[in-house]
Amino acid sequence: KHMAIPARETRESLFQIYRGTIGIVSHARELLRQVADSLLFFSDDGRVLFYPFGYDHYREHVAGKMGAAGQRTAEEQAMIESLRAVPKKSWLPGELSTESAWRDWRFGLLEEEMEEARRQAEAAAAERQAAVIRHLEEKACQMEGSGASNGEPETALLQLETLRVQETAAVTHWTNACLDWYGEWLSVHGE
């Protein structure tokens, strides 16, 4: 922390030329900016989050904008690292630029969120549909006089309304996720 400038510069130079993994625990932003090409964050809820780009990129693109959603868990990053060990196809034109990798990664996050929102909306719709069918069957039995009610009519209607509100919220979340993806696409490809 209280190293002289030449000593700090020497340390940073050694870290920069070393090709292995170094774990640095530091609040020294300049050190992180100079040597970190990826970051680990320890969140308040006990998760370890991985950010696959350097500190400057994090400050520019993520800090305050995306929060934990813009970071990968250490487990996810371990999987990614194992996939990186797979030999590259020879026809690829070369490495992606940092900006291209950032864009691809961001699209991946948005697509995952969009897919999860779609699944939730479909599940909410199916749950509401099943409840409506149960309610109608119960009403039919009551009208025929052959069945007893499984609860007060007001309770059943209140449950149906609650499920409708939940379905609407899930569909709204899905719509917003789709719009976020489209907004990102427009920012890359223009209008």
Side-chain angles (χ1 to χ4, degrees):
K1 181 177 179 178
H2 299 288
M3 295 177 80
I5 291 173
R8 282 195 308 232
E9 290 172 349
T10 301
R11 176 191 61 193
E12 289 168 6
S13 295
L14 290 171
F15 287 160
Q16 288 170 341
I17 62 171
Y18 181 72
R19 291 293 156 222
T21 300
I22 301 173
I24 299 173
V25 178
S26 179
H27 292 281
R29 291 184 180 131
E30 187 61 24
L31 172 66
L32 295 174
R33 193 180 73 66
Q34 291 294 327
V35 302
D37 57 7
S38 59
L39 306 168
L40 284 178
F41 296 92
F42 297 88
S43 67
D44 293 337
D45 62 2
R47 294 185 309 149
V48 178
L49 304 169
F50 179 80
Y51 186 74
F53 304 102
Y55 184 75
D56 285 340
H57 197 273
Y58 170 79
R59 298 279 300 173
E60 182 179 327
H61 290 85
V62 177
K65 290 183 189 174
M66 292 171 41
Q71 301 155 1
R72 294 186 178 124
T73 65
E75 181 179 283
E76 291 168 333
Q77 187 55 30
M79 181 185 70
I80 289 167
E81 292 301 326
S82 69
L83 291 174
R84 283 187 181 151
V86 174
K88 295 179 181 169
K89 292 188 177 191
S90 59
W91 54 267
L92 289 177
E95 293 292 320
L96 290 175
S97 69
T98 300
E99 198 55 40
S100 293
W102 161 255
R103 202 173 33 250
D104 290 349
W105 180 55
R106 180 75 178 121
F107 273 118
L109 290 174
L110 291 170
E111 287 168 1
E112 287 173 14
E113 182 180 345
M114 195 168 53
E115 182 60 24
E116 179 59 27
R118 181 192 61 78
R119 279 193 292 272
Q120 290 174 358
E122 287 177 350
E127 183 179 1
R128 180 170 167 252
Q129 183 179 15
V132 167
I133 291 170
R134 281 192 309 273
H135 178 69
L136 292 175
E137 288 172 346
E138 189 174 296
K139 281 291 204 186
C141 288
Q142 287 175 358
M143 289 175 71
E144 291 175 1
S146 63
S149 175
N150 289 337
E152 297 297 320
E154 296 83 18
T155 305
L157 292 177
L158 192 59
Q159 179 191 19
L160 288 174
E161 178 60 17
T162 300
L163 291 172
R164 186 195 64 76
V165 168
Q166 289 172 350
E167 179 184 4
T168 301
V171 169
T172 300
H173 180 239
W174 180 36
T175 301
N176 289 336
C178 292
L179 290 172
D180 288 346
W181 182 92
Y182 182 66
E184 188 73 17
W185 186 88
L186 280 179
S187 72
V188 170
H189 299 288
E191 294 188 31

